[in-house]
Amino acid sequence: METNVQTSQYDQAVTKNEVSMGKLLNILGLFIFAGTALTNITTPLPSIEDTKQFLYCIVGSAFIYFLLVNIYFTGQIGRKVVLTTLFLLGCFSIFMAIYLATNPVSH
């Protein structure tokens, strides 16, 4: 008597194209965020506090960018996580735009 054993291991291979695309996006991100940080040297902001906020924004954006790029190329679940995160960030951006339009900040 022979047993018919079927295994259902889902193994997704990462192709060379995906690896090179991930490297390309990481290098592109370095140029984008380094160039953005460099603008503070060429056109300085009026105060130290503004400069700190600008640099915090760049560092936070770079962190999110590189995190999402590297999660995206981990597989199908990573892609779903990235797309869900981008959707939530988009909704949050719209919410903040509406909030700031209706509640202007006064200095």
Side-chain angles (χ1 to χ4, degrees):
M1 180 171 171
E2 253 181 67
T3 59
N4 189 5
V5 178
Q6 292 180 348
T7 59
S8 63
Q9 290 180 335
Y10 180 73
D11 189 23
Q12 184 176 7
V14 178
T15 64
K16 283 186 174 184
N17 288 340
E18 288 180 347
V19 171
S20 63
M21 182 61 73
K23 286 182 182 178
L24 175 68
L25 289 174
N26 281 322
I27 292 170
L28 185 64
L30 285 174
F31 279 109
I32 289 171
F33 292 109
T36 307
L38 207 70
T39 60
N40 193 31
I41 295 172
T42 59
T43 311
L45 293 170
S47 71
I48 297 294
E49 187 62 34
D50 290 340
T51 302
K52 283 182 185 178
Q53 290 178 0
F54 180 69
L55 292 176
Y56 287 149
C57 180
I58 292 173
V59 169
S61 299
F63 177 77
I64 291 171
Y65 174 82
F66 289 114
L67 183 70
L68 290 178
V69 163
N70 291 308
I71 288 174
Y72 182 81
F73 289 105
T74 60
Q76 193 66 27
I77 294 174
R79 290 186 172 120
K80 288 179 183 178
V81 168
V82 169
L83 292 175
T84 303
T85 304
L86 289 175
F87 176 75
L88 292 173
L89 284 171
C91 291
F92 181 71
S93 297
I94 293 170
F95 170 75
M96 286 305 297
I98 293 169
Y99 175 79
L100 291 174
T102 57
N103 300 317
V105 177
S106 60
H107 289 280

